Amino acid sequence: NTDYVVAGRDPGEKLKKASSVFSDLDGVWSAHKLRNRMAHEMDHRAKAFEVKFALRMYKKALSDLGVPL
């Protein structure tokens, strides 16, 4: 298990700095953007395929970080 600490003001800035860590940075960005829409736009209704994709990307990102699932 590898601990990653990346400096940055917010998750977006941290993602930019940690880009070499992830095997699919675009997928992680997509998942992060969906999360933001769901958190900040109260009327946003995510489609099932968007949620499934985001979950796959988060799982892949956690695996890239060495988190056992």
Side-chain angles (χ1 to χ4, degrees):
N1 183 15
T2 306
D3 293 323
Y4 289 96
V5 177
V6 178
R9 300 184 300 245
D10 53 53
E13 188 175 294
K14 290 179 180 196
L15 272 176
K16 287 178 189 174
K17 291 181 179 181
S19 63
S20 64
V21 173
F22 300 108
S23 59
D24 187 351
L25 184 61
D26 289 337
V28 175
W29 268 110
S30 292
H32 175 67
K33 287 189 248 181
L34 177 63
R35 176 256 172 230
N36 280 349
R37 283 194 306 273
M38 292 174 70
H40 300 291
E41 299 172 21
M42 300 309 282
D43 60 340
H44 181 74
R45 290 281 221 225
K47 294 177 177 57
F49 77 89
E50 292 175 300
V51 173
K52 288 177 184 177
F53 176 78
L55 290 172
R56 276 197 318 272
M57 292 302 102
Y58 278 129
K59 183 176 180 181
K60 191 174 200 178
L62 289 170
S63 177
D64 290 342
L65 293 171
V67 176
L69 300 174

